[in-house]
Structure formats: structure tokens, C-alpha cells
Amino acid sequence: MSTPAVNGGAAEAAISRDPVRPQHFRHVVEYTVFRAAVALFAALPRTWALRLGACLGDVFYVLDRRDRRVALENLRLAFPEKCAAEHRRILRVSCRNLGRVGAEFCHLPSLDAAALRRVVELDDADRATAERVFNSGRGAVIVSGHVGNWELLAYAFALLGYPVTLVHRPMHNARVDAFVSALRTRPGTRNIPKKSAAKEVIRTLKRGGIVVIPSDQNQTRSFGVFVNFFGKAACTSPGAARLAMLTGAPVYPVFLVRDGETGRHHVEVLPEVPMVDTGDREADIVANTQRCSDAIEAMIRRYPEQWIWFHKRWKTRPAGETRRA
């Protein structure tokens, strides 16, 4: 299966409209290699692509010593009760999952609603909750994170007839970012860059739309608030909490979790996160962000092999604390 030309065209058009980020030679090389890799994985049968992705995850685990060191440090911090061998096992499976996520991303254009049913399961309870959320007319904020296959989550909802608006942080390479964004929006998902999202996201919620906000990544002090994450202060985006408080939209944690090390997934729609309203706005933002973060942490604790442990989640420190590498 080749990558559809429409995606490349949309990507190139988006790049030509971007006057801010100049394209350096390194970015052009990265984009060329990226497109070649996408074409290779897309040309393989899905099962072969997943096997190759898992193998590349093993290679990444062995060769990338710097990221492996960061990931093992994070695992020691999150699970001090587990032994070093268990930390290494979790990380290795996590790397294999990442390789499969990449392979599955390359096969997104081949998915339609019928093909989706063969790889994504939505049980009756979660389907009923999803239908209630999407058809309520109130809008909703979906809190999620980089667990399982996060790239497939919004894509799957759009194919199921529940298109969402996805808030994302643009990549440094504008060409790669444009290509990825074009592919994400193929089934009807709206993709809004984080820096320009606020007004459009509020309008979307007030119209009854659904907004997905990944909330498991490190933030700078100017954009984040500190909440407890695995027992340590972590600078976290308060976006979901702020939006819920501004619009009254409910907040639901939703994840797409891989079934073991297979190519199948299941959707988990967790109960609504109740928002605190004491009248102290700043304190409520922190308290509500903590509640959202707790839901993500609980999911990672259930599926530690499916999170991206090499992300520097605790890099930003409160004033007076030593900065982490």
C-alpha cells in the first residue's frame, strides 16, 4: 500500500503557508528519510509491518543509551518497589510498543470503518458511554496521554462517526509536522496547533464538539502547574481543567490500549472526572489538573509497558529544586 498522494500534497501546502519556521537542510533530510520509512512500512502487509516495528523497538532499546538511561531513571522514580530487571523488562516492551505504533501510523490510510473493527474493540459499556458523551450536545474534554496507540485513538473515533478536535504540539520539523497533521485529519479529525488553540477550542466546546488534550507531557513553568505525578511534582498542562471550568464541559479520560503485544486494541472510556469549584480559581485549576493527572497515572500503572518512559516528564522543577537532566 502506497501513501496517498493527497496527504503529501496537503503537507506541502501546509508547509508553503508556514512563514515562521524556515526549513533547514537537516529538516529536509529528516523529512525525506521519514517519508521513505512511511512508504516502506505502508507497502508491507500490516502483520509484517508490526513485526518490523517491534524489532526496531528492540534495536532502539539496545542502541539508544541516552534515552534508555532517562527511561530507567523515570521507572525507578515511578516504581521504586520494582527491581531493576523489571524496570528493564517494562522499558523493552514499551520500546516494542512504540515501534508498533509507528508501523500502525503508516497503515492509517488503509483503515476504514470495516477494517477498524478488526483491530479496535469498543465494548458495549464503553460504546454506551461514548455515545452519551458525543451526543449530549454539551461538548466534552477528553483527557488522554501517550499510552497504547495514541495516534490511532482520534483516528478511530472519527471512523466510528465521532470526529474530535485534537490539540497538538507542533514538531520542530515543519515538513514532518504537516505530513503527520494531514494524515491525522484524513477521516475528519480536526488538528489545532497548541499555541493557536484557545479561542477555537472554546468555540468548539460551546458548539457541543469534543476536544482531545494529551496531558502527560512536561511543561515549562510559564505554561504549566505543578501536580503530583507518581509521587513527585510534575509541571503539567492545565488546559483540560481550564477549558472545563470556562465552558462547563465534562471531562472524560479516554485511552486506546494495546492487547498485550498484539495488533489489536480496545478503547477504555473512564468515568467523568468531577471538577472542583470552590470559588478560588487558581487553586481550583491546580486541584482539577491533579484529578486529570491522577486518571492518567492510574492508566499508566495498569499498563506501564505502554507508556513512553524516555520522555523527560519531570524535567521542569519547582523553584529551588535542582533541574533534572
Side-chain angles (χ1 to χ4, degrees):
M1 181 193 69
S2 60
T3 303
V6 65
N7 288 336
E12 297 297 341
I15 293 165
S16 67
R17 294 193 299 269
D18 187 349
V20 177
R21 291 179 288 173
Q23 292 302 291
H24 303 295
F25 177 73
R26 177 173 61 85
H27 288 171
V28 175
V29 172
E30 288 173 352
Y31 176 70
T32 302
V33 172
F34 172 74
R35 285 299 302 271
V38 170
L40 169 63
F41 275 96
L44 294 173
R46 185 174 183 274
T47 53
W48 292 13
L50 289 175
R51 290 172 187 168
L52 177 58
C55 289
L56 290 177
D58 282 330
V59 172
F60 176 77
Y61 172 84
V62 172
L63 296 183
D64 191 346
R65 295 183 178 181
R66 183 183 64 178
D67 285 325
R68 186 173 70 233
R69 176 183 58 81
V70 170
L72 290 174
E73 167 105 11
N74 287 341
L75 279 160
R76 284 191 290 270
L77 178 66
F79 298 112
E81 74 282 5
K82 296 183 184 296
C83 66
E86 179 65 3
H87 293 157
R88 291 192 296 271
R89 185 198 67 79
I90 291 171
L91 179 57
R92 186 152 206 157
V93 179
S94 173
C95 290
R96 291 170 62 82
N97 176 68
L98 181 63
R100 291 189 182 95
V101 168
E104 288 164 334
F105 176 81
C106 300
H107 276 258
L108 288 181
S110 68
L111 281 181
D112 55 22
L116 182 71
R117 286 193 290 271
R118 294 193 292 270
V119 297
V120 174
E121 178 185 0
L122 183 63
D123 67 24
D124 290 342
D126 284 331
R127 184 178 295 276
T129 302
E131 289 178 354
R132 185 170 66 252
V133 172
F134 281 89
N135 298 325
S136 69
R138 298 172 57 199
V141 177
I142 291 180
V143 172
S144 195
H146 295 78
V147 177
N149 189 331
W150 57 91
E151 286 291 350
L152 182 54
L153 178 62
Y155 203 94
F157 270 122
L159 288 179
L160 291 169
Y162 306 128
V164 300
T165 295
L166 179 64
V167 177
H168 84 293
R169 180 187 296 176
M171 303 174 187
H172 292 297
N173 189 317
R175 289 175 178 266
V176 174
D177 184 70
F179 178 85
V180 170
S181 294
L183 186 48
R184 283 172 174 166
T185 58
R186 182 184 173 91
T189 302
R190 295 179 65 211
N191 203 42
I192 303 179
K194 183 177 177 181
K195 288 186 178 180
S196 59
K199 291 182 179 179
E200 182 58 32
V201 165
I202 291 171
R203 282 196 292 266
T204 298
L205 290 170
K206 289 184 174 179
R207 290 195 300 262
I210 310 298
V211 176
V212 178
I213 301 182
S215 302
D216 62 341
Q217 301 242 294
N218 181 69
Q219 300 292 312
T220 61
R221 286 197 191 95
S222 57
F223 288 103
V225 297
F226 284 96
V227 298
N228 185 297
F229 189 65
F230 282 94
K232 190 171 183 66
C235 198
T236 304
S237 170
R242 288 182 186 275
L243 287 171
M245 292 165 63
L246 277 170
T247 65
V251 177
Y252 289 89
V254 182
F255 302 88
L256 188 68
V257 180
R258 187 179 303 280
D259 295 337
E261 290 203 61
T262 72
R264 289 192 54 79
H265 311 264
H266 64 274
V267 179
E268 295 207 13
V269 183
L270 304 185
E272 179 181 348
V273 178
M275 294 286 103
V276 174
D277 183 6
T278 67
D280 184 337
R281 182 173 178 274
E282 294 307 313
D284 288 349
I285 287 173
V286 175
N288 290 327
T289 301
Q290 181 69 69
R291 292 186 173 201
C292 294
S293 185
D294 287 345
I296 295 173
E297 178 182 329
M299 183 59 64
I300 297 170
R301 286 187 179 277
R302 288 174 60 193
Y303 303 101
E305 298 89 350
Q306 299 194 35
W307 195 54
I308 49 170
W309 288 100
F310 47 83
H311 170 64
K312 296 180 179 180
R313 182 63 184 91
W314 292 274
K315 180 178 179 179
T316 302
R317 306 309 311 139
E321 281 195 24
T322 303
R323 178 176 172 177
R324 293 173 60 84

